[in-house]
Amino acid sequence: MNRSIFALQQVARRTICSSSRRQVDNQVPKNQKLFQEDNGLPVHLKGGTTDALLYRTTMALTVLGVGYVLYELVKASYPQKKD
């Protein structure tokens, strides 16, 4: 049991220590240029289709949630009929 745990620790340590670091391109200047250009879009929609889809989904869920809350408030404001 101890031998297998020790072997697992060695494999994990070797994997972490020997992994090579990838060079990642710095995309900050490109994103700054995209978000700072004046194209008439609000900043929360400048990311493209994904941002627009997330924005519309959030708005739809918000409207549905407000509608449901109002429905429940109206339903709770009237007394229930007893049969």
Side-chain angles (χ1 to χ4, degrees):
M1 174 90 176
N2 288 339
R3 187 177 298 174
S4 63
I5 292 174
F6 181 71
L8 181 63
Q9 285 177 343
Q10 281 185 328
V11 168
R13 188 176 302 129
R14 194 174 307 133
T15 303
I16 291 171
C17 295
S18 66
S19 63
S20 63
R21 294 187 59 177
R22 294 184 299 143
Q23 292 295 327
V24 179
D25 293 335
N26 186 8
Q27 295 185 1
V28 172
K30 182 183 78 163
N31 288 336
Q32 283 177 339
K33 184 178 178 183
L34 171 74
F35 284 99
Q36 289 178 354
E37 70 184 24
D38 187 21
N39 56 4
L41 287 174
V43 71
H44 59 274
L45 294 177
K46 286 191 177 185
T49 307
T50 306
D51 283 348
L53 183 65
L54 284 172
Y55 175 74
R56 289 185 179 136
T57 303
T58 303
M59 288 299 113
L61 289 173
T62 301
V63 168
L64 289 173
V66 168
Y68 184 70
V69 166
L70 291 175
Y71 167 76
E72 289 295 327
L73 283 172
V74 169
K75 191 173 93 173
S77 66
Y78 292 108
Q80 292 183 350
K81 295 180 184 176
K82 294 188 179 185
D83 292 330

